[in-house]
Amino acid sequence: MFESVAKSLLRECETKTRLMSFYIDCDRSKRSAKEILIDLKNLQKKAIEEGANFYADTRYSERISSIFNELGEKLVHGGLGEAKGIACFADLEGDYYRFIELPVSVENLVKFSDHPFLAPLIEALYPHRLTLVAVVEARRATFYRVFASAIDKLLTLEEDVPPKVKSAGWYGLEETRIKRHVEDHVKRHLKNVAATLRALYDDDDYSLVLIGGNANYALVVADLVGEILADTPVEVCSKLGITDQVRIILEAVTDHAIKSFVESSSKLVQSIITEYEKGGLAIAGLRGVIRASNLYAIHQLVIDEYRMIGGKRCGSCGALGVDEDACPLCHGAMEVVDDLIDLLVCRTLRNDGDVIVIGGQSPLREYDGIGASLRFAI
């Protein structure tokens, strides 16, 4: 899901050369709307000043102000859902702009370039997968579509399951028969839940099915669905109890996603380092990764923590470098650039590679905080 967001942004902005990217922290659990609006106004002022300096032109100030003002209106009128951060990408010479809601707080920043600034977006969204969620109870189940801070209620399935047992019997049945009768109803209900999940799964490109609610019923449904969906993970979320509160569901799903991401990213980093040290299909360190990028060899770029690093870029072929005076590919003149990591991210995504920003220190720190798995040996 993340890849489609980032790559669609690159496609949408392909022909746009005067782009503004900005990120704003709007976590209302930590600060009031008034405090966030003050930050937004300060960032707007900074954007107008930096835009004028970057383009040596003040004519974009009105366009910048209109975009910030629209975001401010959304904030005031509650149009940001459960987002804790917002990313915006805007063409200053056209009508294009796009707000993306983020599930985590972000640093307030603005950047002007000929491409969208994606590293903070990747860090915020990568752990999250498009998830089909079911909250299962004895008599009903509710289904949700969740990605990052966006949640949509899909439907509620109600079943006419009788109460467990009445001491005086039920329709003349003995107590044991009543119990068995109720259990049969519950089993049919759980099978219907699994069948509904299967039908909903076909409606979208889900990469995870997450089940919560009653712990015992959730396990039964997970087993039933797992037998049907062999290629998609089906997991029980222990923190997702019986609830219909959007905030609680989002928090449980987000917590599950972050824990899964920490585990998977740790394994990925270790596999890259191991493969690199034995001379396999991996590279580590800034110079090696840049060389792999210039050869279009990167399959998956991994950055432990985004930081701006200056370097060089060829004015003729666009190859990247660290401190070279001549292009390593065409021997043309190299120009100074202020953010190699940003350029590596965009180049990898444009070449149909994958990018992960972990958002914290990892064993890659011994290798400039960057590494990659490769498509072929270099």
Side-chain angles (χ1 to χ4, degrees), residues 280-304:
L281 291 178
I283 197 76
L286 184 60
R287 288 185 186 274
V289 169
I290 287 174
R291 178 167 170 261
S293 176
N294 288 338
L295 297 173
Y296 303 98
I298 293 180
H299 169 64
Q300 193 167 46
L301 176 67
V302 181
I303 301 161
D304 68 355

Side-chain angles (χ1 to χ4, degrees), residues 17 21 38 77 131 133 138 148-149 175 186 196-197 209 255 272 274 283 314 323 337 345 360 369:
T17 59
S21 305
I38 291 172
H77 295 101
T131 304
V133 176
S149 60
E175 191 169 303
V186 172
T196 304
L197 275 170
V209 176
D255 183 66
I272 286 175
T274 301
I283 197 76
C314 178
D323 51 18
V337 294
V345 167

Side-chain angles (χ1 to χ4, degrees), residues 334-370:
M334 299 290 277
E335 304 168 347
V336 174
V337 294
D338 63 359
D339 196 342
L340 268 179
I341 305 301
D342 177 35
L343 294 172
L344 278 169
V345 167
C346 281
R347 171 174 283 196
T348 301
L349 290 172
R350 281 177 174 147
N351 292 331
D352 205 27
D354 193 11
V355 179
I356 299 174
V357 181
I358 295 172
Q361 291 193 18
S362 76
L364 278 175
R365 189 49 55 103
E366 296 182 17
Y367 300 92
D368 306 318
I370 192 167

Side-chain angles (χ1 to χ4, degrees), residues 118-315:
L118 296 174
L121 179 77
I122 294 169
E123 181 180 337
L125 290 186
Y126 196 96
H128 304 272
R129 293 182 282 176
L130 183 60
T131 304
L132 177 57
V133 176
V135 178
V136 185
E137 303 173 53
R139 300 185 180 197
R140 72 173 188 168
T142 310
F143 304 87
Y144 302 87
R145 179 189 188 274
V146 180
F147 177 68
S149 60
I151 180 169
D152 299 304
K153 183 177 177 180
L154 301 176
L155 63 90
T156 297
L157 181 67
E158 300 274 1
E159 292 284 348
D160 186 19
V161 179
K164 282 191 175 180
V165 175
K166 293 182 179 179
S167 58
W170 183 62
Y171 290 113
L173 297 175
E174 296 177 357
E175 191 169 303
T176 54
R177 292 180 61 200
I178 297 170
K179 183 177 180 181
R180 188 166 58 250
H181 185 74
V182 173
E183 287 174 351
D184 288 342
H185 269 281
V186 172
K187 286 177 182 177
R188 282 196 295 272
H189 168 53
L190 298 181
K191 286 181 180 179
N192 287 340
V193 173
T196 304
L197 275 170
R198 180 66 181 89
L200 291 172
Y201 174 83
D202 289 336
D203 292 339
D204 214 328
D205 190 23
Y206 293 105
S207 54
L208 175 65
V209 176
L210 205 57
I211 304 168
N214 178 292
N216 293 326
Y217 298 157
L219 286 168
V220 172
V221 173
D223 287 341
L224 291 170
V225 177
E227 293 175 0
I228 304 171
L229 304 178
D231 298 327
T232 301
V234 178
E235 301 172 13
V236 173
C237 180
S238 59
K239 286 198 171 183
L240 182 56
I242 297 173
T243 181
D244 58 359
Q245 294 186 43
V246 166
R247 179 183 56 80
I248 293 175
I249 294 169
L250 278 175
E251 286 178 357
V253 175
T254 298
D255 183 66
H256 185 91
I258 296 298
K259 286 182 178 178
S260 298
F261 174 70
V262 169
E263 293 176 6
S264 62
S265 61
S266 296
K267 291 177 182 177
L268 176 61
V269 165
Q270 194 54 56
S271 70
I272 286 175
I273 293 173
T274 301
E275 192 73 8
Y276 168 63
E277 290 178 347
K278 72 178 186 181
L281 291 178
I283 197 76
L286 184 60
R287 288 185 186 274
V289 169
I290 287 174
R291 178 167 170 261
S293 176
N294 288 338
L295 297 173
Y296 303 98
I298 293 180
H299 169 64
Q300 193 167 46
L301 176 67
V302 181
I303 301 161
D304 68 355
E305 195 168 27
Y306 168 76
R307 53 202 170 97
M308 187 181 293
I309 299 175
K312 299 285 190 73
R313 177 169 58 180
C314 178

Side-chain angles (χ1 to χ4, degrees), residues 15-33:
T15 60
K16 301 168 177 54
T17 59
R18 304 231 164 183
L19 284 166
M20 173 180 68
S21 305
F22 73 81
Y23 294 82
I24 185 77
D25 181 5
C26 61
D27 188 348
R28 284 153 291 179
S29 68
K30 297 178 181 177
R31 295 178 303 142
S32 67

